[in-house]
Amino acid sequence: MDEDRVIICRCEEVTLKRVRELLDKGLHTMDEIKRISRCGMGPCQGKTCRPLLAQEIANYLGIDVGSVALPTFRPPTKPVKLGVIARGDECD
Amino acid sequence: MTRSAHVAVIGGGVNGCSIAYNLAKQGCTDVVVFEKSYLCSGSTGRCGAGVRCQWGTEMNCRLAFESIKMFETLNEELGYDYDIEFKQKGYLILAYTEKEWEQFKLNVRLQNSLGIPSRLVTPEEARGIVPGLCTEGMLGATYCKKDGHCNPHHTTWAYARAAERLGVRVKTGVEVKDIMVRNGRVRKVVTSEGAYNVEVVVNAAGPWAKPIGAMVGLDIPVYTERHQILVTEPCAPVQDPMVISFSKHFYCQQTPHGSFVMGYGDPTEVKGYDIGHSWQFLERMVQVVTPVLPVLKELRLVRQWSGLYTISPDCQPILGGTPKVEGFFMAVGFSGHGFMLAPVVGRLVAEQIMGRPTSLDISMLDLERFDRGELILEPSVV
Ligand SMILES: Cc1cc2nc3c(=O)[nH]c(=O)nc-3n(C[C@H](O)[C@H](O)[C@H](O)COP(=O)(O)OP(=O)(O)OC[C@H]3O[C@@H](n4cnc5c(N)ncnc54)[C@H](O)[C@@H]3O)c2cc1C
């Protein structure tokens, strides 16, 4: 598998290679990897990459994926235009 | 077996990591940094990351100007393999009230006298600097091209890794539970992974500065307050400087990544440790910023979050040791500007710990200034 061509986070174009490089450099939590690589910071709010990244960390550390701590979830669930928020009640 | 270290730094934010790196650089490598969560998990990883030398007190001007010079070469200094993303495209500070405008004239005079290349600009000139800026109600602005912003996660990590290369131990996921003082001197820190005999303890615990102070019997006069912030989707580069207004309580920058990061300092925000997010912030933020920067209306919000300011009675940091407890040093109470000061703070506090003369005189930033009633009031804060 070409790690350089496997994309973990589509929004921010973070590759598997980059994730493994950061794991090797000692970043072992989702919060740390997110903050350095932007993995999960894009408009989809990590919907796709969250489980992929969690699995990658679990494999690396040899732990159960359930014990990988997830980052705080922050709104919005769907990206909204600022102009819409400024107008208050309307929708576009 | 009790382990030992010459210096224990409490806090893996940008200030703790900068102090640890500077200690090692100055020759003291027997240093351990304790971070109860992950690096940057405190205020640093949540901040607006603005860096400016346009301040209203001589102290802040000097500290921030020196820090900016250090940021300019920080990637090389720290041998960082990535990029701390220091973008020096200026700060444009908008004036809306007569009082503000008068203060800005004084500020620029002070800044220029210290070599800071800031200047007063007319609303028309401001529009030339930020195309699309709506200048309605604006009396003028000040601009300094040396100012900018930087990535706080990369900066902190760069300091931590450089410190580790020099021999510093950085322990994440380890909490300091207590500090033992005997005969007026710090002796030991008790952590979640056992005790360490130490000569020096540095309180760089950000929002937790007060409870750490209490461990050695000090009452550090700071309180915490939530500040909220948001980020948009990225777009093509359209805004060079950070745009900021004290009277409208907002700041807004476009990062090198293309996203806009903006914050609103709610004057009615409650004190405490709550870092939840509110819908009210979102509405207020957008209502305040979009009339000034209408291009933002077309951008989508991606995420909002919040963090804590740790505020001292004069909104200035408390730096250095105290005669009350020997070996106990502080770098706390940074209010809304502790990220930008970290490079110079790291160097100066390390010099104090090493017992050397400091390269800038910061003796008046000691804890005892509050007993003496010698506050250094800064007029220009969000
Ligand atoms: C929304 C917002 C916007 C901001 N914008 C700016 C800006 O534009 N420019 C600017 O310069 N500043 C800004 N600031 C302020 C800036 O974030 C802080 O002043 C700065 O990050 C403080 O860094 P620090 O290293 O001192 O503290 P922190 O980053 O808070 O680090 C302290 C660390 O200590 C750890 N800790 C605490 N107690 C213990 C313990 N008992 N054991 C072990 N570890 C412990 C914590 O987990 C934490 O990681 C902003 C802040 C906020 C909230």
Side-chain angles (χ1 to χ4, degrees):
Chain A
M1 183 170 59
D2 187 351
E3 292 180 7
D4 211 8
R5 295 180 57 189
V6 178
I7 304 286
I8 296 281
C9 171
R10 287 184 298 201
C11 299
E12 299 293 340
E13 290 176 22
V14 181
T15 60
L16 180 58
K17 182 167 176 224
R18 180 68 185 264
V19 166
R20 292 195 170 154
E21 176 185 309
L22 294 176
L23 283 163
D24 281 338
K25 286 185 189 247
L27 297 187
H28 294 164
T29 64
M30 292 188 66
D31 268 309
E32 290 167 307
I33 293 174
K34 168 182 157 188
R35 282 165 169 77
I36 291 296
S37 69
R38 301 195 57 88
C39 186
M41 280 197 185
C44 93
Q45 297 284 27
K47 281 198 193 74
T48 316
C49 65
R50 222 184 254 245
L52 296 176
L53 179 59
Q55 189 59 58
E56 205 45 48
I57 294 173
N59 292 349
Y60 187 89
L61 299 177
I63 57 172
D64 187 69
V65 69
S67 47
V68 177
L70 296 178
T72 317
F73 181 76
R74 298 281 196 177
T77 334
K78 276 194 185 144
V80 194
K81 276 190 184 172
L82 297 196
V84 174
I85 300 170
R87 288 198 304 272
D89 46 10
E90 297 166 43
C91 297
D92 70 351
Chain B
M1 192 195 78
T2 303
R3 283 160 285 190
S4 74
H6 187 71
V7 182
V9 177
I10 308 173
V14 69
N15 282 296
C17 293
S18 171
I19 292 167
Y21 164 76
N22 278 282
L23 277 168
K25 188 185 169 192
Q26 290 175 31
C28 175
T29 55
D30 187 14
V31 177
V32 51
V33 178
F34 295 110
E35 166 50 56
K36 66 182 162 113
S37 183
Y38 52 89
L39 294 181
C40 256
S41 58
S43 302
T44 302
R46 303 166 184 282
C47 81
V51 175
R52 62 168 155 126
C53 45
Q54 295 187 77
W55 286 96
T57 58
E58 183 175 336
M59 177 59 80
N60 273 340
C61 286
R62 283 191 192 283
L63 289 175
F65 195 29
E66 186 60 24
S67 243
I68 283 182
K69 290 179 196 156
M70 296 169 81
F71 272 115
E72 285 171 350
T73 55
L74 207 55
N75 275 324
E76 297 77 40
E77 154 104 22
L78 300 179
Y80 192 45
D81 352 353
Y82 301 124
D83 180 8
I84 61 163
E85 297 170 6
F86 186 37
K87 173 180 164 188
Q88 252 172 319
K89 293 283 176 73
Y91 248 71
L92 186 69
I93 311 185
L94 314 178
Y96 286 98
T97 67
E98 282 297 339
K99 190 168 158 247
E100 237 176 349
W101 190 229
E102 289 311 310
Q103 181 67 50
F104 286 9
K105 288 179 192 162
L106 294 176
N107 289 358
V108 166
R109 198 177 314 149
L110 168 71
Q111 290 153 11
N112 292 170
S113 76
L114 299 169
I116 295 168
S118 57
R119 59 190 166 95
L120 296 167
V121 297
T122 63
E124 290 68 43
E125 285 173 298
R127 255 205 312 274
I129 297 168
V130 177
L133 177 76
C134 171
T135 53
E136 203 184 305
M138 231 178 90
L139 300 180
T142 67
Y143 177 72
C144 175
K145 63 175 194 302
K146 286 274 176 195
D147 296 347
H149 48 83
C150 193
N151 184 313
H153 310 292
H154 281 289
T155 306
T156 307
W157 203 40
Y159 270 120
R161 290 181 56 83
E164 280 179 322
R165 278 200 301 274
L166 294 175
V168 170
R169 289 162 280 166
V170 178
K171 298 202 166 271
T172 56
V174 179
E175 181 173 355
V176 172
K177 303 276 195 190
D178 205 358
I179 303 167
M180 302 298 169
V181 178
R182 210 173 341 111
N183 300 332
R185 259 208 89 84
V186 297
R187 301 284 172 178
K188 197 182 269 195
V189 293
V190 181
T191 76
S192 53
E193 58 147 51
Y196 284 72
N197 289 325
V198 297
E199 301 294 318
V200 172
V201 172
V202 183
N203 178 357
W208 294 273
K210 205 178 171 75
I212 296 292
M215 290 177 186
V216 297
L218 281 182
D219 182 17
I220 303 179
V222 293
Y223 67 90
T224 52
E225 181 181 278
R226 176 175 71 175
H227 278 251
Q228 303 195 61
I229 178 162
L230 66 80
V231 62
T232 70
E233 63 184 336
C235 70
V238 292
Q239 180 179 313
D240 278 344
M242 173 84 97
V243 175
I244 167 169
S245 158
F246 305 125
S247 53
K248 290 185 188 285
H249 311 284
F250 81 82
Y251 56 87
C252 175
Q253 48 136 313
Q254 186 175 21
T255 68
H257 163 260
S259 51
F260 279 81
V261 170
M262 60 192 85
Y264 171 74
D266 184 346
T268 63
E269 192 61 89
V270 287
K271 298 177 186 179
Y273 283 93
D274 174 19
I275 52 165
H277 38 255
S278 76
W279 172 252
Q280 291 83 339
F281 155 74
L282 207 56
E283 250 179 19
R284 197 78 199 102
M285 172 84 244
V286 172
Q287 282 163 0
V288 168
V289 79
T290 52
V292 182
L293 297 164
V295 297
L296 298 175
K297 283 187 197 155
E298 290 309 310
L299 289 180
R300 289 183 170 77
L301 166 71
V302 167
R303 189 170 44 255
Q304 68 176 109
W305 71 94
S306 73
L308 299 168
Y309 276 22
T310 307
I311 304 180
S312 72
D314 56 6
C315 294
Q316 300 279 28
I318 302 168
L319 301 178
T322 168
K324 294 178 186 117
V325 188
E326 233 185 298
F328 188 77
F329 288 80
M330 283 157 277
V332 304
F334 291 96
S335 303
H337 48 279
F339 172 69
M340 68 180 80
L341 298 184
V344 73
V345 160
R347 190 179 79 201
L348 294 168
V349 173
E351 286 165 352
Q352 289 179 322
I353 294 168
M354 302 295 282
R356 298 191 179 139
T358 52
S359 42
L360 275 173
D361 181 12
I362 51 163
S363 54
M364 58 287 251
L365 288 174
D366 62 347
L367 177 66
E368 280 64 41
R369 75 177 180 273
F370 305 109
D371 298 338
R372 297 192 303 267
E374 290 171 7
L375 278 65
I376 311 168
L377 290 168
E378 171 58 59
S380 302
V381 290
V382 188

